[in-house]
Amino acid sequence: PNTSLLIISVQRDSHPVLYAPETKKTIRKLSLADRAGNPSFQFRTSAREFWATDYDSIVKLDGTTLAVRNVLCVQDAVHGMRQFIGNFCFNSGQDLCLIARPFSGDAVALDADSMAQVCRIEFGREPLDIGMLADGTVIARDLKTGDYLFQRL
């Protein structure tokens, strides 16, 4: 925040690049959870922290230093095979983080401060993208069909 620096994700890598476009130079590589994921980032304004996916895990980073604050594996391996998580979102108050889990057929809601799981939302399909409306309606998009899925928190 408040800089012109960019975080650039690298496919199948847990080390996104912090890049300065004015000088066209890499500042440094970040370290996430070493899960070789395709990181996607969101800034949690209320706590001044970045959250990122890293294959089967969610990572909380300090918003200033980009140091890892916490890592949580969100999707268990099945028969020794790791499975990726879907996308994630925050509710409007930014006190909950919802994470789609396509291979579990559900989403989990984490308390954004403690990262403790507070509930599970069963879809019965394969939610990949996820969002939440102010009234508690959770909307997901199915991985295989693209169908919209609806549940209540």
Side-chain angles (χ1 to χ4, degrees), residues 96-99 101 106-111 116-122 132 136 138 152-153:
L96 284 180
C97 177
L98 273 68
I99 305 166
R101 302 191 314 171
D106 65 9
V108 292
L110 305 180
D111 174 88
Q117 183 176 323
V118 294
C119 71
R120 182 174 164 263
I121 303 110
E122 182 68 41
M132 186 170 145
V138 178
R152 295 284 299 168
L153 185 63

Side-chain angles (χ1 to χ4, degrees), residues 2 8 18 51 97:
N2 303 320
I8 301 172
L18 186 62
W51 285 51
C97 177

